[in-house]
């Protein structure tokens, strides 16, 4: 297990973010790219809080499946039970995790908050030992909706501030009775709110001391470039899908050049979701022979190799799981090193395959749809 000092010692690069024009409050995030410990910290991040739904699985004795990475809202799925989320959080804390990735969309922040309240109330942890992230959902992009949405997440998480608040995507939906996916005739009801206006409202949360840092998720290069040209507070991070099947080298280099921490979601390619089918479709990432061969060479699992792959590219990663053994296993990635050739081999698996489906209910017609760009 990685020493506790390695876990917490690098929370601070994202700890406090202020207006770019003031040297006294310029975020130390700019130092992250040079800070190995920061990379170690982010490998210990866990999206255990981020499973909006868990597929109903019929398990035979001895069979185990990790119900992670499910983002669909099909009737085959149900929400992750609150007690399962709380148990996962407890296991993660005991394993040394301190960075927890949450979101309003996942609809389990109340359960996570109950777990935080219990652990903090027992005095086992101090608030400043945790790094808690949440996200502004698409239905709340209108500037007047940003703070109420934030405060709702903050209240459910039973905290008095957040460490990082992300815009879940650049695409806004209409706010109709706070529905997550407002739609008509099977199509999402899109809003024309400019994500720049949404960002300005998020900056005010930093001004008010409600959140230490703000960032984005699922933004492409051109959208980041536009935001950087007008923002008062620079995005601290951009959370996107990243794995050897989707390496996004241009985005990685761009974020590195701008001092924006890149956070990889779905680092395993979402093993619980169906793998894309077709003539040239790849095998599930965790079953890829190349990944398995490298894992066997190091005496590690394929999942551990994939986490290490991101670490050595200087990318934060948030593996999702509610399976205790997997949560512990995902933290054990500090006792081996991939060679330069192995990194290149894994990068060579890139086939621009996305596992998280965004082209749903007409979403790809949104004026701010981010995936038409690289």
């Amino acid at each position: 297990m990685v020493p506790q000092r390695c876990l917490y010692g690098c929370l601070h690069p994202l700890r406090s973010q202020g207006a770019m024009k003031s040297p006294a409050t310029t975020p130390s995030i700019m130092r992250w790219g040079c800070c190995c410990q920061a990379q170690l910290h982010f490998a210990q991040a866990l999206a255990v809080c981020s499973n909006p739904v868990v597929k109903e699985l019929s398990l035979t004795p001895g069979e185990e499946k990790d119900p992670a990475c499910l983002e669909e809202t099909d009737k085959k799925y149900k929400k992750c039970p609150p007690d399962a989320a709380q148990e996962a959080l407890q296991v993660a804390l005991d394993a040394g995790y301190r960075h927890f990735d949450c979101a309003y969309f996942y609809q389990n922040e109340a359960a996570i908050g109950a777990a935080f309240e219990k652990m903090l109330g027992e005095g086992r942890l101090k608030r400043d030992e945790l790094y808690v992230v949440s996200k502004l959902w698409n239905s709340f992009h209108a500037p007047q909706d940003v703070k109420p949405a934030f405060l709702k997440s903050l209240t459910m998480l039973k905290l008095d501030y957040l460490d990082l608040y992300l815009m879940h995507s650049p695409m806004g939906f209409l706010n109709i009775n706070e529905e997550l996916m407002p739609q008509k005739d099977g199509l999402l009801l899109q809003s024309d709110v400019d994500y720049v206006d949404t960002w300005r409202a998020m900056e005010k949360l930093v001004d008010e001391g409600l959140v230490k840092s703000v960032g984005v998720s699922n933004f492409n290069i051109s959208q980041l470039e536009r935001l950087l040209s007008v923002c008062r507070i620079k995005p601290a991070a951009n959370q996107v899908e990243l794995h050897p099947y989707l390496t996004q080298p241009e985005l990685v280099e761009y974020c590195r050049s701008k001092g924006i921490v890149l956070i990889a979601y779905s680092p395993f390619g979402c093993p619980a979701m169906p793998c894309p089918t077709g003539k040239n479709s790849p095998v599930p990432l965790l079953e890829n022979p190349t990944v398995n061969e490298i894992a066997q060479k190091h005496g590690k699992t394929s999942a551990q190799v994939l986490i290490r792959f991101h670490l050595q590219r200087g990318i934060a990663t948030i593996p999702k799981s509610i399976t205790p053994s997997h949560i512990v296993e995902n933290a054990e990635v500090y006792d081996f090193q991939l060679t330069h050739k192995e990194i290149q081999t894994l990068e060579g698996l890139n086939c621009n395959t996305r596992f998280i489906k965004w082209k749903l209910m007409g979403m790809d017609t949104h004026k701010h749809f981010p995936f038409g760009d690289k």
Side-chain angles (χ1 to χ4, degrees), residues 2-57:
V2 66
Q4 182 63 40
R5 57 183 174 81
C6 293
L7 290 168
Y8 180 65
C10 37
L11 288 176
H12 296 286
L14 278 173
R15 252 308 175 217
S16 180
Q17 182 181 21
M20 294 176 66
K21 63 183 181 181
S22 172
T25 55
T26 298
S28 56
I29 186 68
M30 295 297 292
R31 299 195 298 272
W32 185 88
C34 303
C35 180
C36 179
Q37 296 294 355
Q39 297 173 24
L40 294 179
H41 160 63
F42 279 111
Q44 291 293 333
L46 184 71
V48 67
C49 311
S50 359
N51 296 322
V53 285
V54 175
K55 189 174 182 180
E56 293 178 315
L57 298 170

Side-chain angles (χ1 to χ4, degrees), residues 5 10 13 38 42 72 96 132 174 190 209 214 237 249 258 267 298 303 341 348 357:
R5 57 183 174 81
C10 37
F42 279 111
E72 300 177 349
V132 183
L174 292 181
Q190 304 173 6
V214 284
K258 299 299 182 181
H298 291 279
K341 184 176 180 180
K357 305 304 180 185

Side-chain angles (χ1 to χ4, degrees), residues 160-177:
D160 55 6
Y161 69 91
L162 293 183
D163 297 280
L164 178 64
Y165 196 51
L166 304 176
M167 194 185 313
H168 209 135
S169 93
M171 300 175 289
F173 303 157
L174 292 181
N175 185 353
I176 300 178
N177 299 320

Side-chain angles (χ1 to χ4, degrees), residues 9 70 96 106 167 278 295 298 365-366 368:
L70 297 172
Y106 304 144
M167 194 185 313
H298 291 279
T365 66
H366 198 290
H368 296 313

Side-chain angles (χ1 to χ4, degrees), residues 136 138 141 166-172 193-199 202 215-228 230 235 237-242 248 250-252 254-255 260 262-263 265 354 358 368-374:
L136 176 76
N138 302 348
H141 274 211
L166 304 176
M167 194 185 313
H168 209 135
S169 93
M171 300 175 289
V193 175
D194 191 328
Y195 58 81
V196 168
D197 294 328
T198 306
W199 182 258
M202 291 176 64
V216 296
S217 182
N218 299 299
F219 271 56
N220 63 34
I221 292 174
S222 62
Q223 290 167 335
L224 287 171
E225 191 74 38
R226 179 169 177 251
L227 194 58
L228 286 171
V230 298
N238 184 24
Q239 187 179 119
V240 299
E241 181 177 348
L242 279 172
Q248 305 199 65
E250 295 90 353
L251 181 63
V252 170
Y254 178 83
C255 288
I260 297 173
L262 204 56
I263 304 174
Y265 69 72
R354 291 186 184 277
W358 287 91
H368 296 313
F369 184 73
F371 305 120
D373 192 7
K374 293 183 180 181

Side-chain angles (χ1 to χ4, degrees), residues 317-372:
T317 180
I318 47 173
K320 298 181 183 181
S321 183
I322 62 169
T323 303
S325 61
H326 292 177
I327 292 171
V328 174
E329 175 188 291
N330 290 344
E332 297 173 343
V333 292
Y334 302 100
D335 55 353
F336 76 107
Q337 184 97 359
L338 299 176
T339 67
H340 178 66
K341 184 176 180 180
E342 287 170 338
I343 294 291
Q344 288 185 318
T345 298
L346 290 170
E347 289 176 335
L349 298 177
N350 182 53
C351 51
N352 295 317
T353 295
R354 291 186 184 277
F355 288 86
I356 302 302
K357 305 304 180 185
W358 287 91
K359 294 184 178 181
L360 301 172
M361 296 179 283
M363 204 180 305
D364 55 333
T365 66
H366 198 290
K367 69 178 183 178
H368 296 313
F369 184 73
F371 305 120

Side-chain angles (χ1 to χ4, degrees), residues 86-127:
Q86 291 184 36
E87 179 186 1
L89 188 71
Q90 177 66 65
V91 171
L93 285 166
D94 290 343
Y97 288 82
R98 294 296 180 265
H99 173 164
F100 295 92
D101 185 79
C102 312
Y104 180 82
F105 176 67
Y106 304 144
Q107 294 290 282
N108 59 8
E109 289 186 321
I112 300 305
F116 283 148
E117 184 179 47
K118 180 176 184 294
M119 294 166 198
L120 292 170
E122 291 173 349
R124 297 175 52 200
L125 287 171
K126 296 179 180 179
R127 172 63 184 93

